[in-house]
Amino acid sequence: MNGILKTHSKDLNSLLKIIDPIVLLSIYVSLIWRSEQLIIFPYFLIIISFFLISTLFNNSKLYISYRRLSLSVLFRRILYAWSSSLLFIIFLFSYAGIPAEKDLVIKWFVFGFIYLVISHLFTRKFLKQMRLKGRNTRNIVFWGDPLSAINLFNQ
């Protein structure tokens, strides 16, 4: 388990970049189906919304390392990224005739915000605890004479 953060941190980050828009759009679709408004979504709107969320989240620096910054900065960036993404998507959906009722938008904002807080803030808090316990180290195997290994260790 030691070293998992160093060896797979970019993979975890890339996975989060893909999962965030998928989960947020899935929340919207599930809210539409629960409100019994049967709508067939145009696939191009879902794809545009996916890229819109991805772009805005990347530009708001949600996926950079926050080792030295406070979690309140991350909380503000989540709030900014999600609210701006939501505004653009609501405009896009209303232009295409997909319902954007007030109650639906409020529920989508709240559930999406809760998901983002859990997935970003609590995940970063968990990873910080793992780093404090020494899970951020790498192990190497040295093959050779002991004097060279001591020289390598001292560098």
Side-chain angles (χ1 to χ4, degrees):
M1 189 75 170
N2 286 346
I4 194 167
L5 295 180
K6 276 197 177 217
T7 55
H8 297 293
S9 64
K10 290 184 181 178
D11 297 335
L12 292 172
N13 199 8
S14 298
L15 183 66
L16 198 59
K17 287 180 181 180
I18 294 171
I19 288 176
D20 279 349
I22 291 172
V23 169
L24 293 171
L25 290 171
S26 298
I27 290 171
Y28 180 76
V29 170
S30 67
L31 287 173
I32 286 284
W33 283 342
R34 284 184 181 239
S35 68
E36 299 176 1
Q37 297 176 358
L38 298 176
I39 294 175
I40 299 173
F41 286 102
Y43 290 117
F44 72 93
L45 281 180
I46 299 295
I47 293 170
I48 290 171
S49 301
F50 177 86
F51 287 118
L52 185 69
I53 292 172
S54 298
T55 303
L56 287 171
F57 280 18
N58 281 330
N59 288 340
S60 65
K61 300 177 184 175
L62 273 184
Y63 303 109
I64 64 171
S65 177
Y66 281 88
R67 289 185 187 177
R68 292 182 179 88
L69 293 177
S70 68
L71 292 178
S72 65
V73 173
L74 180 61
F75 184 80
R76 285 187 302 237
R77 288 188 180 175
I78 288 172
L79 184 62
Y80 166 75
W82 178 227
S83 57
S84 60
S85 297
L86 195 64
L87 286 174
F88 282 118
I89 291 171
I90 289 170
F91 175 73
L92 180 70
F93 283 2
S94 66
Y95 184 73
I98 294 176
E101 298 167 359
K102 185 171 64 170
D103 293 340
L104 181 69
V105 171
I106 290 172
K107 286 179 185 177
W108 190 23
F109 179 79
V110 169
F111 291 140
F113 188 71
I114 289 170
Y115 162 74
L116 289 171
V117 166
I118 289 171
S119 72
H120 287 271
L121 284 178
F122 292 138
T123 303
R124 305 269 171 134
K125 190 98 169 139
F126 172 72
L127 292 175
K128 186 176 182 179
Q129 292 299 321
M130 285 184 67
R131 284 187 192 103
L132 291 175
K133 292 180 181 179
R135 302 272 191 226
N136 201 23
T137 59
R138 288 186 183 167
N139 297 327
I140 62 168
V141 175
F142 183 81
W143 190 269
D145 62 280
L147 183 61
S148 297
I150 292 170
N151 290 337
L152 179 69
F153 181 73
N154 291 331
Q155 287 182 0

